[in-house]
Amino acid sequence: MRAVARAQGDSAKDCITPLEVHLMDLENAQIRREWNKIDLIAILHEPKRVVAIELKIDSGEHGDQLQRYRKMVEEHWSEANGWKHLFVFLSKHGDEPSEKHGLGWITLDLDTLAQELDAVVQRQIGASDARLLLSSYLEMLRRHHLNNEELENLATKLWSQHRPALDFLLERRPNFDGGLLERLYEEREDIAKRMTDASGLKIIPDYRSTNIIRFAVEKWDGLADFNGVEGWTKSKRLMLLELAYASDKTALRMRFVLGPANQGVRQNYYEALVDGRALSKTRKKFSEKWTRLEHKGIKLGSYDDLDDAQAQALYEKVLKGIEDYAKEKIPVFDKALTDRFGSGI
């Protein structure tokens, strides 16, 4: 509940605060699993509030399920009878619910939740057996689903010592998805040029990971404190534009991401975007490592099952979506940052 309170924006309906959560009486809360196929329902009788949680690990939102779940909860625990509702879309990477069916659902990522659960363990709240169980759960969560700091540090060390060899291998790596994402990576220079032409700002490729292709706005390299990020890409840029699959690979997602850096620096850049009206959604608190901004999705269907002509048509559709995103978002972001930090380079 604290993680939800910190994640939701000020404009969220029936929003709650961390203080309100602290004062809640949770002793008589009821928990239901798979009630009408909803993963978790928490019923808090005092205050009268129902929390619906839909968890996605290695899959995405299915059809209109979020809209249906919300309607069922609101009908069963009606506002007319004094009930308030919270709808939480919990996923590994903080994926945004669809605009069409996900209205009113609050985005929450597993890393943010794990930080709150860590605090419970560290403060030794509750019975010792319960803390042991929670600690074991967090260990499993990090081993299978979250970033491992020790492995991240090892990867950084390997890159610093063997970068030429790793670059050589990466450039010659076989297809890592067998389809669209590999083609986008191979054409990354052309895509950067397309975004440059669309936005009027020079866009250049940045480093990729296995399932994410990244680009940078070159001008922003001259902004204050912009190139001090550790534990992300080797360029150390604070903000990058990512192309990545949705969890079920039925859509390609484009988004700006604020990387891990000094929280004051990240806050300053985030506030610059808010003040410059560059963001369509704002949040009360953003995550400490990766904060995803201005998400846009392009539906793909099954790319690998298409014939050559269909695959080409879909590829051109994706290129058009990338160009449209660049034209619409990059100049707005640039103006907001320029107004706050100057013109860069």
Side-chain angles (χ1 to χ4, degrees), residues 263-278:
Q263 195 70 347
V265 172
R266 299 177 81 249
Q267 184 76 38
N268 197 15
Y269 272 83
Y270 181 77
E271 289 176 356
L273 296 174
V274 173
D275 293 344
R277 300 181 182 275

Side-chain angles (χ1 to χ4, degrees), residues 175-273:
N175 287 2
F176 58 92
D177 79 309
L180 177 64
L181 204 61
E182 179 65 21
R183 185 174 179 184
L184 291 171
Y185 178 72
E186 291 173 350
E187 300 294 332
R188 61 194 181 280
E189 296 290 347
D190 176 65
I191 292 172
K193 184 179 184 304
R194 287 172 179 266
M195 289 196 288
T196 296
D197 294 340
S199 67
L201 294 159
K202 187 174 181 181
I203 310 301
I204 57 177
D206 198 88
Y207 291 88
R208 87 174 192 195
S209 58
T210 304
N211 296 309
I212 300 175
I213 304 170
R214 300 183 178 93
F215 297 88
V217 180
E218 188 177 56
K219 174 186 174 184
W220 297 349
D221 286 348
L223 299 179
D225 301 313
F226 192 82
N227 298 90
V229 172
E230 299 291 344
W232 195 16
T233 75
K234 300 304 173 184
S235 69
K236 297 187 176 183
R237 292 184 171 105
L238 176 64
M239 192 186 311
L240 295 170
L241 173 59
E242 293 186 345
L243 303 181
Y245 279 136
S247 55
D248 59 0
K249 290 193 175 183
T250 61
L252 182 76
R253 288 180 171 162
M254 292 165 285
R255 61 202 179 193
F256 273 106
V257 180
L258 271 175
N262 176 275
Q263 195 70 347
V265 172
R266 299 177 81 249
Q267 184 76 38
N268 197 15
Y269 272 83
Y270 181 77
E271 289 176 356
L273 296 174

Side-chain angles (χ1 to χ4, degrees), residues 72-84:
M72 284 188 292
V73 169
E74 290 177 340
E75 288 178 351
H76 194 83
W77 292 277
S78 70
E79 290 185 348
N81 291 328
W83 288 97
K84 293 183 178 181

Side-chain angles (χ1 to χ4, degrees), residues 33 67 88-89 133 149 154 205 215 249 255 279 290:
R33 295 184 298 166
Q67 187 179 54
V88 182
F89 191 63
L133 182 63
E149 186 174 351
L154 177 60
F215 297 88
K249 290 193 175 183
R255 61 202 179 193
L279 303 179
W290 292 277

